[in-house]
Amino acid sequence: MYVKEVVLQNQAGLHARPATFFIQKANEFKSLIMIEKEERRVNAKSLLGVLSLGIEEGTKIKILADGPDDEAAVTALAKLIESGFAD
Protein backbone atom coordinates (compact mmCIF):
# COMPACT_ATOMS: atom_id res chain seq x y z
CA MET A 1 0.00 0.00 0.00
CA TYR A 2 1.22 3.49 -0.87
CA VAL A 3 -0.10 6.62 0.90
CA LYS A 4 0.48 10.33 0.45
CA GLU A 5 -1.04 13.34 2.18
CA VAL A 6 -1.78 16.38 0.02
CA VAL A 7 -3.52 19.73 0.42
CA LEU A 8 -6.13 20.68 -2.16
CA GLN A 9 -4.98 23.78 -4.07
CA ASN A 10 -8.01 24.22 -6.33
CA GLN A 11 -9.79 27.45 -5.40
CA ALA A 12 -13.27 26.03 -5.98
CA GLY A 13 -12.57 22.79 -4.13
CA LEU A 14 -13.12 19.28 -5.45
CA HIS A 15 -16.54 19.96 -6.99
CA ALA A 16 -18.03 18.17 -10.01
CA ARG A 17 -15.62 19.22 -12.78
CA PRO A 18 -12.28 18.68 -10.99
CA ALA A 19 -13.69 15.58 -9.30
CA THR A 20 -14.44 14.18 -12.74
CA PHE A 21 -10.85 14.83 -13.86
CA PHE A 22 -9.61 13.18 -10.65
CA ILE A 23 -11.78 10.10 -11.19
CA GLN A 24 -10.77 9.81 -14.84
CA LYS A 25 -7.12 9.83 -13.78
CA ALA A 26 -7.80 7.28 -11.00
CA ASN A 27 -9.48 4.96 -13.50
CA GLU A 28 -6.25 4.81 -15.52
CA PHE A 29 -4.80 2.59 -12.79
CA LYS A 30 -5.55 -0.99 -11.76
CA SER A 31 -4.98 -0.44 -8.04
CA LEU A 32 -7.71 0.10 -5.48
CA ILE A 33 -7.52 3.84 -4.77
CA MET A 34 -9.14 5.57 -1.82
CA ILE A 35 -9.33 9.16 -0.57
CA GLU A 36 -9.40 9.85 3.15
CA LYS A 37 -10.57 13.05 4.81
CA GLU A 38 -10.84 13.23 8.60
CA GLU A 39 -11.06 9.45 9.09
CA ARG A 40 -13.68 9.07 6.34
CA ARG A 41 -12.54 6.99 3.39
CA VAL A 42 -14.18 6.66 -0.04
CA ASN A 43 -13.40 5.01 -3.35
CA ALA A 44 -11.46 7.50 -5.51
CA LYS A 45 -13.08 6.03 -8.63
CA SER A 46 -16.60 6.97 -7.46
CA LEU A 47 -17.93 10.44 -8.29
CA LEU A 48 -20.58 10.26 -5.59
CA GLY A 49 -18.01 9.11 -3.04
CA VAL A 50 -15.53 11.86 -3.89
CA LEU A 51 -18.20 14.57 -3.89
CA SER A 52 -19.61 13.31 -0.57
CA LEU A 53 -16.37 14.29 1.18
CA GLY A 54 -17.00 17.99 0.50
CA ILE A 55 -13.32 18.73 -0.09
CA GLU A 56 -12.61 22.47 -0.19
CA GLU A 57 -9.50 24.54 -0.90
CA GLY A 58 -6.87 24.03 1.79
CA THR A 59 -8.28 20.68 2.91
CA LYS A 60 -5.74 17.98 3.77
CA ILE A 61 -6.55 14.59 2.31
CA LYS A 62 -4.77 11.27 2.04
CA ILE A 63 -4.60 9.33 -1.18
CA LEU A 64 -4.17 5.60 -0.59
CA ALA A 65 -3.63 2.93 -3.19
CA ASP A 66 -3.07 -0.78 -3.04
CA GLY A 67 -2.24 -2.85 -6.08
CA PRO A 68 0.24 -3.38 -8.89
CA ASP A 69 0.59 0.32 -9.74
CA ASP A 70 -0.14 1.88 -6.36
CA GLU A 71 2.86 4.21 -6.18
CA ALA A 72 2.33 5.51 -9.73
CA ALA A 73 -1.38 6.06 -9.03
CA VAL A 74 -0.83 8.03 -5.84
CA THR A 75 1.96 10.08 -7.40
CA ALA A 76 -0.15 10.99 -10.46
CA LEU A 77 -3.22 11.89 -8.41
CA ALA A 78 -1.21 13.93 -5.90
CA LYS A 79 0.42 15.82 -8.76
CA LEU A 80 -3.01 16.58 -10.23
CA ILE A 81 -4.28 17.91 -6.90
CA GLU A 82 -1.16 19.92 -6.15
CA SER A 83 -1.35 21.56 -9.58
CA GLY A 84 -4.82 22.88 -8.82
CA PHE A 85 -6.06 20.86 -11.81
CA ALA A 86 -4.15 23.11 -14.19
CA ASP A 87 -3.69 21.79 -17.72
Side-chain angles (χ1 to χ4, degrees):
M1 178 172 277
Y2 194 77
V3 180
K4 183 170 183 174
E5 186 172 90
V6 295
V7 176
L8 188 75
Q9 302 296 322
N10 187 23
Q11 199 170 31
L14 201 55
H15 61 84
R17 187 167 180 253
T20 300
F21 293 145
F22 184 86
I23 292 159
Q24 287 172 343
K25 180 59 79 177
N27 277 307
E28 293 177 10
F29 300 95
K30 293 179 180 176
S31 295
L32 171 66
I33 306 169
M34 306 293 284
I35 300 177
E36 184 177 283
K37 175 190 166 197
E38 300 169 358
E39 306 300 318
R40 185 154 174 249
R41 202 178 275 187
V42 299
N43 185 338
K45 297 179 182 180
S46 163
L47 181 60
L48 187 58
V50 172
L51 292 176
S52 74
L53 291 177
I55 301 168
E56 300 173 343
E57 180 183 22
T59 302
K60 279 187 196 176
I61 61 170
K62 286 184 184 175
I63 304 171
L64 310 92
D66 190 23
D69 52 5
D70 54 4
E71 187 172 350
V74 171
T75 300
L77 292 168
K79 184 177 176 184
L80 181 63
I81 288 175
E82 290 167 345
S83 75
F85 295 87
D87 293 320

Coordinates of all heavy atoms in Angstrom, one line a residue:
M1 N 0.8 -1.2 0.0 CA 0.0 0.0 0.0 C 0.9 1.2 0.0 O 1.9 1.3 0.7 CB -0.9 0.0 1.2 CG -1.8 1.3 1.3 SD -3.0 1.3 2.5 CE -4.3 0.3 1.7
Y2 N 0.5 2.2 -0.8 CA 1.2 3.5 -0.9 C 0.3 4.6 -0.5 O -0.9 4.6 -0.9 CB 1.7 3.7 -2.3 CG 2.8 4.8 -2.4 CD1 4.1 4.5 -2.0 CD2 2.4 6.0 -2.9 CE1 5.0 5.5 -2.2 CE2 3.4 7.0 -3.1 CZ 4.7 6.8 -2.7 OH 5.6 7.8 -2.8
V3 N 0.7 5.5 0.4 CA -0.1 6.6 0.9 C 0.6 7.9 0.8 O 1.9 8.0 1.0 CB -0.4 6.4 2.4 CG1 -1.3 7.5 2.9 CG2 -1.1 5.0 2.6
K4 N -0.1 9.0 0.5 CA 0.5 10.3 0.4 C -0.6 11.3 0.9 O -1.7 11.2 0.5 CB 1.0 10.7 -1.0 CG 1.7 12.1 -1.0 CD 2.4 12.3 -2.3 CE 3.1 13.7 -2.2 NZ 3.9 14.0 -3.3
E5 N -0.1 12.3 1.7 CA -1.0 13.3 2.2 C -0.8 14.6 1.3 O 0.4 14.9 1.1 CB -0.8 13.7 3.7 CG -1.8 14.6 4.2 CD -1.6 14.8 5.7 OE1 -0.8 15.7 6.1 OE2 -2.3 14.1 6.5
V6 N -1.9 15.2 0.9 CA -1.8 16.4 0.0 C -2.8 17.4 0.5 O -3.7 17.1 1.2 CB -2.0 16.1 -1.5 CG1 -0.9 15.2 -2.0 CG2 -3.4 15.5 -1.7
V7 N -2.6 18.7 0.1 CA -3.5 19.7 0.4 C -4.1 20.2 -0.9 O -3.4 20.5 -1.8 CB -2.8 20.9 1.1 CG1 -3.8 22.0 1.4 CG2 -2.2 20.4 2.4
L8 N -5.4 20.3 -0.9 CA -6.1 20.7 -2.2 C -5.8 22.1 -2.4 O -6.0 23.0 -1.6 CB -7.6 20.5 -2.0 CG -8.4 20.7 -3.3 CD1 -8.2 19.5 -4.3 CD2 -9.9 20.9 -3.1
Q9 N -5.4 22.4 -3.7 CA -5.0 23.8 -4.1 C -6.0 24.4 -4.9 O -6.0 25.6 -5.2 CB -3.7 23.7 -4.9 CG -2.5 23.1 -4.1 CD -2.1 23.9 -2.9 OE1 -2.1 25.2 -2.9 NE2 -1.8 23.2 -1.8
N10 N -7.0 23.7 -5.4 CA -8.0 24.2 -6.3 C -8.9 25.2 -5.6 O -9.5 24.8 -4.6 CB -8.8 23.1 -6.9 CG -9.8 23.5 -8.0 OD1 -9.6 24.6 -8.6 ND2 -10.8 22.7 -8.2
Q11 N -9.0 26.4 -6.1 CA -9.8 27.5 -5.4 C -11.3 27.1 -5.2 O -11.8 27.4 -4.1 CB -9.7 28.7 -6.2 CG -10.0 30.0 -5.5 CD -9.7 31.2 -6.3 OE1 -9.8 31.2 -7.5 NE2 -9.3 32.3 -5.6
A12 N -11.8 26.4 -6.1 CA -13.3 26.0 -6.0 C -13.5 24.7 -5.2 O -14.6 24.3 -5.0 CB -13.9 25.9 -7.4
G13 N -12.4 24.1 -4.8 CA -12.6 22.8 -4.1 C -12.7 21.6 -5.1 O -12.5 21.8 -6.3
L14 N -13.0 20.5 -4.6 CA -13.1 19.3 -5.4 C -14.6 19.1 -5.8 O -15.2 18.2 -5.3 CB -12.5 18.1 -4.7 CG -12.1 16.9 -5.6 CD1 -11.2 17.3 -6.7 CD2 -11.5 15.8 -4.8
H15 N -15.1 20.0 -6.6 CA -16.5 20.0 -7.0 C -16.6 19.1 -8.3 O -15.6 18.5 -8.6 CB -17.1 21.4 -7.2 CG -16.4 22.2 -8.3 ND1 -16.7 22.0 -9.6 CD2 -15.4 23.1 -8.2 CE1 -15.9 22.8 -10.3 NE2 -15.1 23.5 -9.4
A16 N -17.8 19.1 -8.9 CA -18.0 18.2 -10.0 C -17.0 18.1 -11.1 O -16.5 17.0 -11.5 CB -19.4 18.5 -10.6
R17 N -16.6 19.2 -11.6 CA -15.6 19.2 -12.8 C -14.2 18.7 -12.4 O -13.7 17.7 -13.0 CB -15.5 20.6 -13.4 CG -14.7 20.6 -14.7 CD -14.9 21.9 -15.4 NE -14.1 21.9 -16.6 CZ -13.0 22.7 -16.8 NH1 -12.6 23.4 -15.8 NH2 -12.3 22.6 -17.9
P18 N -13.6 19.3 -11.4 CA -12.3 18.7 -11.0 C -12.4 17.3 -10.4 O -11.5 16.4 -10.7 CB -11.7 19.6 -9.9 CG -12.8 20.6 -9.6 CD -13.8 20.5 -10.6
A19 N -13.5 16.9 -9.8 CA -13.7 15.6 -9.3 C -13.8 14.6 -10.5 O -13.2 13.5 -10.4 CB -15.0 15.5 -8.5
T20 N -14.4 15.0 -11.5 CA -14.4 14.2 -12.7 C -13.1 13.9 -13.3 O -12.7 12.8 -13.7 CB -15.4 14.8 -13.8 OG1 -16.7 15.0 -13.2 CG2 -15.4 14.0 -15.1
F21 N -12.2 15.0 -13.4 CA -10.9 14.8 -13.9 C -10.1 13.9 -12.9 O -9.3 13.0 -13.4 CB -10.1 16.2 -13.9 CG -10.7 17.1 -14.9 CD1 -10.7 18.5 -14.7 CD2 -11.1 16.7 -16.1 CE1 -11.2 19.4 -15.6 CE2 -11.6 17.6 -17.1 CZ -11.6 18.9 -16.8
F22 N -10.3 14.0 -11.6 CA -9.6 13.2 -10.7 C -10.0 11.7 -10.9 O -9.2 10.8 -10.9 CB -10.0 13.7 -9.2 CG -9.2 12.9 -8.2 CD1 -8.0 13.3 -7.8 CD2 -9.8 11.8 -7.6 CE1 -7.3 12.6 -6.8 CE2 -9.1 11.1 -6.6 CZ -7.9 11.5 -6.2
I23 N -11.3 11.5 -11.0 CA -11.8 10.1 -11.2 C -11.3 9.5 -12.5 O -10.9 8.3 -12.6 CB -13.3 10.1 -11.1 CG1 -13.7 10.4 -9.7 CG2 -13.9 8.8 -11.5 CD1 -15.1 10.9 -9.5
Q24 N -11.3 10.3 -13.6 CA -10.8 9.8 -14.8 C -9.3 9.4 -14.7 O -8.9 8.4 -15.2 CB -10.9 10.9 -15.9 CG -12.3 11.1 -16.4 CD -12.5 12.3 -17.3 OE1 -11.7 13.1 -17.4 NE2 -13.6 12.3 -18.0
K25 N -8.5 10.2 -14.0 CA -7.1 9.8 -13.8 C -7.0 8.6 -12.9 O -6.2 7.7 -13.2 CB -6.4 11.0 -13.1 CG -4.9 10.8 -12.8 CD -4.1 10.4 -14.0 CE -3.8 11.7 -14.8 NZ -2.9 11.4 -16.0
A26 N -7.8 8.5 -11.9 CA -7.8 7.3 -11.0 C -8.1 6.0 -11.8 O -7.6 5.0 -11.5 CB -8.8 7.5 -9.8
N27 N -9.1 6.1 -12.7 CA -9.5 5.0 -13.5 C -8.4 4.5 -14.5 O -8.6 3.4 -15.1 CB -10.8 5.2 -14.2 CG -12.0 5.0 -13.3 OD1 -12.1 4.0 -12.7 ND2 -12.8 6.0 -13.2
E28 N -7.4 5.2 -14.7 CA -6.3 4.8 -15.5 C -5.4 3.7 -14.8 O -4.6 3.1 -15.5 CB -5.4 6.0 -15.9 CG -6.0 7.0 -16.8 CD -5.2 8.2 -17.1 OE1 -4.0 8.2 -16.7 OE2 -5.7 9.2 -17.6
F29 N -5.6 3.5 -13.6 CA -4.8 2.6 -12.8 C -5.6 1.4 -12.3 O -6.8 1.5 -12.1 CB -4.2 3.3 -11.6 CG -3.3 4.5 -12.0 CD1 -3.9 5.8 -12.0 CD2 -2.0 4.3 -12.3 CE1 -3.1 6.8 -12.4 CE2 -1.2 5.4 -12.7 CZ -1.8 6.6 -12.7
K30 N -4.9 0.3 -12.2 CA -5.5 -1.0 -11.8 C -5.7 -1.1 -10.2 O -6.6 -1.8 -9.8 CB -4.7 -2.2 -12.2 CG -4.7 -2.3 -13.7 CD -3.9 -3.5 -14.2 CE -3.9 -3.5 -15.7 NZ -3.0 -4.6 -16.2
S31 N -4.9 -0.4 -9.5 CA -5.0 -0.4 -8.0 C -6.3 0.1 -7.5 O -7.0 0.9 -8.1 CB -3.9 0.4 -7.4 OG -2.6 -0.1 -7.8
L32 N -6.6 -0.4 -6.3 CA -7.7 0.1 -5.5 C -7.2 1.4 -4.9 O -6.2 1.5 -4.3 CB -8.1 -0.8 -4.3 CG -9.1 -0.3 -3.3 CD1 -10.4 -0.1 -4.0 CD2 -9.2 -1.2 -2.1
I33 N -7.9 2.5 -5.2 CA -7.5 3.8 -4.8 C -8.6 4.4 -3.9 O -9.8 4.4 -4.3 CB -7.2 4.8 -6.0 CG1 -6.3 4.1 -6.9 CG2 -6.7 6.1 -5.5 CD1 -6.1 4.8 -8.3
M34 N -8.2 5.0 -2.8 CA -9.1 5.6 -1.8 C -8.7 7.0 -1.5 O -7.5 7.3 -1.6 CB -9.2 4.7 -0.5 CG -9.5 3.3 -0.7 SD -11.2 3.0 -1.3 CE -12.1 3.2 0.2
I35 N -9.6 7.8 -1.1 CA -9.3 9.2 -0.6 C -9.8 9.2 0.9 O -10.9 8.7 1.1 CB -10.0 10.3 -1.4 CG1 -9.7 10.3 -2.8 CG2 -9.7 11.6 -0.7 CD1 -10.4 11.3 -3.6
E36 N -9.0 9.8 1.7 CA -9.4 9.8 3.2 C -9.4 11.3 3.6 O -8.4 12.0 3.4 CB -8.4 9.0 4.0 CG -8.8 9.0 5.5 CD -7.9 8.1 6.2 OE1 -8.0 6.9 6.1 OE2 -6.9 8.6 6.9
K37 N -10.5 11.7 4.2 CA -10.6 13.1 4.8 C -11.1 12.9 6.2 O -12.3 12.4 6.4 CB -11.5 14.0 4.0 CG -11.7 15.3 4.6 CD -12.8 16.1 3.9 CE -13.3 17.2 4.7 NZ -14.6 17.8 4.2
E38 N -10.4 13.3 7.2 CA -10.8 13.2 8.6 C -11.4 11.9 9.0 O -12.6 11.8 9.4 CB -11.9 14.3 8.9 CG -11.3 15.7 8.6 CD -12.4 16.8 8.6 OE1 -13.6 16.5 8.8 OE2 -12.0 18.0 8.5
E39 N -10.7 10.8 8.7 CA -11.1 9.4 9.1 C -12.2 8.9 8.2 O -12.6 7.8 8.5 CB -11.4 9.3 10.6 CG -10.4 9.9 11.5 CD -9.1 9.1 11.4 OE1 -9.1 7.9 11.3 OE2 -8.0 9.8 11.5
R40 N -12.7 9.6 7.2 CA -13.7 9.1 6.3 C -13.0 8.7 5.0 O -12.3 9.5 4.4 CB -14.8 10.1 6.1 CG -15.9 9.6 5.3 CD -17.2 10.3 5.6 NE -18.2 9.8 4.6 CZ -18.7 10.5 3.6 NH1 -18.3 11.8 3.5 NH2 -19.5 9.9 2.8
R41 N -13.2 7.5 4.6 CA -12.5 7.0 3.4 C -13.6 6.6 2.3 O -14.5 5.9 2.6 CB -11.7 5.8 3.8 CG -10.6 5.4 2.9 CD -9.8 4.2 3.4 NE -8.8 4.6 4.4 CZ -7.9 3.8 4.9 NH1 -7.9 2.5 4.6 NH2 -7.1 4.3 5.8
V42 N -13.3 7.0 1.1 CA -14.2 6.7 0.0 C -13.4 6.2 -1.2 O -12.2 6.5 -1.3 CB -15.1 7.8 -0.5 CG1 -16.0 8.3 0.6 CG2 -14.2 9.0 -1.0
N43 N -14.0 5.5 -2.1 CA -13.4 5.0 -3.4 C -13.1 6.2 -4.3 O -14.0 7.0 -4.6 CB -14.3 4.0 -4.0 CG -13.7 3.4 -5.3 OD1 -12.8 3.9 -5.9 ND2 -14.3 2.2 -5.6
A44 N -11.9 6.4 -4.7 CA -11.5 7.5 -5.5 C -12.0 7.4 -6.9 O -11.8 8.3 -7.7 CB -9.9 7.6 -5.5
K45 N -12.6 6.2 -7.3 CA -13.1 6.0 -8.6 C -14.6 6.2 -8.7 O -15.2 6.0 -9.7 CB -12.7 4.6 -9.1 CG -11.2 4.4 -9.2 CD -10.8 3.1 -9.7 CE -9.3 2.9 -9.8 NZ -8.9 1.5 -10.2
S46 N -15.2 6.7 -7.6 CA -16.6 7.0 -7.5 C -16.9 8.5 -7.3 O -16.5 9.1 -6.4 CB -17.1 6.2 -6.2 OG -18.4 6.7 -5.9
L47 N -17.6 9.0 -8.3 CA -17.9 10.4 -8.3 C -18.7 10.8 -7.0 O -18.4 11.7 -6.3 CB -18.7 10.8 -9.6 CG -19.1 12.3 -9.7 CD1 -17.8 13.2 -9.6 CD2 -19.9 12.6 -10.9
L48 N -19.8 10.0 -6.8 CA -20.6 10.3 -5.6 C -19.8 10.2 -4.3 O -19.9 11.1 -3.4 CB -21.7 9.3 -5.5 CG -22.8 9.5 -4.4 CD1 -23.4 10.9 -4.6 CD2 -23.9 8.4 -4.5
G49 N -18.9 9.2 -4.2 CA -18.0 9.1 -3.0 C -17.1 10.3 -2.9 O -17.0 10.9 -1.8
V50 N -16.4 10.7 -4.0 CA -15.5 11.9 -3.9 C -16.3 13.1 -3.5 O -15.9 13.9 -2.7 CB -14.8 12.0 -5.2 CG1 -14.0 13.3 -5.2 CG2 -13.9 10.8 -5.5
L51 N -17.4 13.4 -4.2 CA -18.2 14.6 -3.9 C -18.7 14.6 -2.5 O -18.9 15.6 -1.8 CB -19.4 14.7 -4.9 CG -19.0 15.0 -6.3 CD1 -20.2 15.0 -7.2 CD2 -18.2 16.3 -6.4
S52 N -19.0 13.4 -1.9 CA -19.6 13.3 -0.6 C -18.6 13.8 0.5 O -19.1 14.1 1.6 CB -20.1 11.9 -0.3 OG -19.0 11.0 0.0
L53 N -17.4 13.8 0.2 CA -16.4 14.3 1.2 C -16.4 15.8 1.4 O -15.9 16.3 2.4 CB -15.0 13.8 0.8 CG -14.7 12.3 0.9 CD1 -13.3 12.0 0.4 CD2 -14.9 11.8 2.3
G54 N -16.9 16.5 0.4 CA -17.0 18.0 0.5 C -15.6 18.6 0.7 O -15.4 19.5 1.5
I55 N -14.7 18.3 -0.2 CA -13.3 18.7 -0.1 C -13.2 20.2 -0.6 O -13.5 20.4 -1.8 CB -12.4 17.8 -0.8 CG1 -12.5 16.4 -0.2 CG2 -10.9 18.3 -0.8 CD1 -11.8 15.3 -1.0
E56 N -12.8 21.1 0.2 CA -12.6 22.5 -0.2 C -11.1 22.9 -0.3 O -10.3 22.1 0.2 CB -13.3 23.4 0.8 CG -14.8 23.1 1.0 CD -15.5 23.8 2.1 OE1 -14.8 24.3 3.0 OE2 -16.7 23.9 2.1
E57 N -10.9 24.0 -0.8 CA -9.5 24.5 -0.9 C -8.9 24.5 0.5 O -9.5 24.9 1.5 CB -9.5 26.0 -1.5 CG -8.1 26.5 -1.6 CD -8.1 28.0 -2.1 OE1 -9.1 28.7 -2.0 OE2 -7.0 28.4 -2.6
G58 N -7.6 24.1 0.5 CA -6.9 24.0 1.8 C -7.1 22.8 2.6 O -6.5 22.6 3.7
T59 N -8.0 21.9 2.2 CA -8.3 20.7 2.9 C -7.2 19.7 2.7 O -6.7 19.4 1.6 CB -9.6 20.1 2.4 OG1 -10.7 21.0 2.6 CG2 -9.9 18.8 3.2
K60 N -6.7 19.1 3.8 CA -5.7 18.0 3.8 C -6.5 16.7 3.5 O -7.4 16.4 4.2 CB -5.0 17.9 5.1 CG -3.9 18.8 5.3 CD -3.1 18.5 6.5 CE -2.2 19.6 6.9 NZ -1.5 19.3 8.2
I61 N -6.0 15.9 2.6 CA -6.6 14.6 2.3 C -5.4 13.6 2.2 O -4.3 14.0 1.9 CB -7.4 14.6 1.1 CG1 -6.7 14.9 -0.2 CG2 -8.7 15.4 1.2 CD1 -7.4 14.7 -1.5
K62 N -5.7 12.3 2.3 CA -4.8 11.3 2.0 C -5.3 10.5 0.8 O -6.4 10.2 0.7 CB -4.7 10.3 3.2 CG -3.9 10.9 4.4 CD -3.8 9.8 5.5 CE -3.1 10.4 6.7 NZ -3.1 9.4 7.8
I63 N -4.3 10.2 0.0 CA -4.6 9.3 -1.2 C -3.9 8.0 -0.9 O -2.7 8.0 -0.6 CB -4.1 9.9 -2.5 CG1 -4.6 11.3 -2.7 CG2 -4.4 9.0 -3.7 CD1 -4.0 12.1 -3.9
L64 N -4.7 6.9 -0.9 CA -4.2 5.6 -0.6 C -4.4 4.7 -1.8 O -5.5 4.7 -2.4 CB -4.9 5.0 0.6 CG -5.0 5.9 1.9 CD1 -6.3 6.7 1.9 CD2 -4.9 5.0 3.1
A65 N -3.5 3.9 -2.1 CA -3.6 2.9 -3.2 C -3.0 1.6 -2.8 O -2.0 1.6 -2.1 CB -3.0 3.5 -4.5
D66 N -3.6 0.5 -3.3 CA -3.1 -0.8 -3.0 C -3.3 -1.6 -4.3 O -4.4 -1.8 -4.8 CB -3.8 -1.4 -1.9 CG -3.1 -2.7 -1.4 OD1 -1.9 -2.9 -1.7 OD2 -3.8 -3.5 -0.8
G67 N -2.2 -2.0 -4.9 CA -2.2 -2.8 -6.1 C -1.0 -2.8 -6.9 O 0.0 -2.2 -6.4
P68 N -1.0 -3.3 -8.1 CA 0.2 -3.4 -8.9 C 0.9 -2.0 -9.3 O 2.1 -2.0 -9.5 CB -0.2 -4.2 -10.1 CG -1.7 -3.9 -10.2 CD -2.1 -3.8 -8.8
D69 N 0.1 -1.0 -9.3 CA 0.6 0.3 -9.7 C 0.3 1.4 -8.7 O 0.0 2.5 -9.0 CB 0.0 0.7 -11.1 CG -1.5 0.6 -11.2 OD1 -2.1 0.3 -10.2 OD2 -2.0 0.8 -12.3
D70 N 0.3 1.0 -7.4 CA -0.1 1.9 -6.4 C 0.7 3.2 -6.2 O 0.2 4.3 -6.1 CB -0.3 1.2 -5.0 CG 1.0 0.4 -4.6 OD1 2.0 0.5 -5.3 OD2 0.9 -0.3 -3.5
E71 N 2.0 3.0 -6.3 CA 2.9 4.2 -6.2 C 2.7 5.2 -7.3 O 2.5 6.4 -7.2 CB 4.3 3.8 -6.1 CG 5.2 5.0 -5.8 CD 6.7 4.6 -5.5 OE1 7.0 3.4 -5.3 OE2 7.5 5.5 -5.4
A72 N 2.6 4.7 -8.6 CA 2.3 5.5 -9.7 C 1.0 6.2 -9.6 O 0.8 7.4 -10.0 CB 2.4 4.7 -11.0
A73 N 0.0 5.5 -9.2 CA -1.4 6.1 -9.0 C -1.4 7.2 -8.0 O -1.9 8.3 -8.3 CB -2.4 5.0 -8.6
V74 N -0.8 7.0 -6.9 CA -0.8 8.0 -5.8 C 0.0 9.2 -6.3 O -0.4 10.4 -6.1 CB -0.3 7.5 -4.5 CG1 -0.1 8.6 -3.5 CG2 -1.3 6.4 -3.9
T75 N 1.1 9.0 -6.9 CA 2.0 10.1 -7.4 C 1.2 10.9 -8.4 O 1.2 12.1 -8.4 CB 3.3 9.5 -8.0 OG1 3.9 8.8 -6.9 CG2 4.2 10.6 -8.5
A76 N 0.6 10.3 -9.4 CA -0.1 11.0 -10.5 C -1.3 11.8 -9.9 O -1.5 12.9 -10.3 CB -0.6 10.0 -11.5
L77 N -2.1 11.2 -9.0 CA -3.2 11.9 -8.4 C -2.8 13.0 -7.5 O -3.4 14.1 -7.5 CB -4.1 10.9 -7.7 CG -4.8 9.9 -8.6 CD1 -5.4 8.8 -7.8 CD2 -5.8 10.6 -9.4
A78 N -1.7 12.8 -6.7 CA -1.2 13.9 -5.9 C -0.7 15.1 -6.8 O -1.0 16.3 -6.4 CB -0.1 13.4 -5.0
K79 N -0.1 14.8 -7.9 CA 0.4 15.8 -8.8 C -0.8 16.6 -9.3 O -0.7 17.8 -9.4 CB 1.2 15.2 -9.9 CG 1.9 16.2 -10.8 CD 2.7 15.5 -11.9 CE 3.3 16.5 -12.9 NZ 4.0 15.8 -13.9
L80 N -1.8 15.9 -9.7 CA -3.0 16.6 -10.2 C -3.6 17.5 -9.2 O -3.9 18.7 -9.5 CB -4.0 15.5 -10.7 CG -5.3 16.0 -11.3 CD1 -5.1 16.8 -12.6 CD2 -6.3 14.9 -11.5
I81 N -3.7 17.1 -8.0 CA -4.3 17.9 -6.9 C -3.4 19.1 -6.6 O -3.8 20.2 -6.5 CB -4.5 17.1 -5.6 CG1 -5.7 16.1 -5.9 CG2 -4.8 18.0 -4.4 CD1 -6.0 15.2 -4.8
E82 N -2.1 18.8 -6.5 CA -1.2 19.9 -6.1 C -1.1 21.0 -7.3 O -0.7 22.1 -7.0 CB 0.2 19.3 -5.8 CG 0.2 18.6 -4.5 CD 1.4 17.7 -4.3 OE1 2.2 17.4 -5.3 OE2 1.6 17.2 -3.2
S83 N -1.4 20.6 -8.5 CA -1.4 21.6 -9.6 C -2.6 22.4 -9.6 O -2.7 23.4 -10.4 CB -1.3 20.8 -10.9 OG -2.5 20.2 -11.3
G84 N -3.6 22.1 -8.8 CA -4.8 22.9 -8.8 C -5.6 22.5 -10.0 O -6.5 23.3 -10.5
F85 N -5.4 21.4 -10.6 CA -6.1 20.9 -11.8 C -5.8 21.7 -13.0 O -6.6 21.8 -14.0 CB -7.6 20.7 -11.6 CG -7.9 19.7 -10.5 CD1 -7.9 20.1 -9.2 CD2 -8.1 18.4 -10.9 CE1 -8.2 19.1 -8.2 CE2 -8.4 17.5 -9.9 CZ -8.4 17.8 -8.6
A86 N -4.6 22.3 -13.0 CA -4.1 23.1 -14.2 C -3.8 22.2 -15.3 O -3.3 21.1 -15.1 CB -2.9 24.0 -13.8
D87 N -4.0 22.6 -16.5 CA -3.7 21.8 -17.7 C -2.2 21.8 -18.0 O -1.5 22.6 -17.8 CB -4.4 22.3 -19.0 CG -5.9 22.2 -18.8 OD1 -6.3 21.1 -18.4 OD2 -6.6 23.1 -19.2

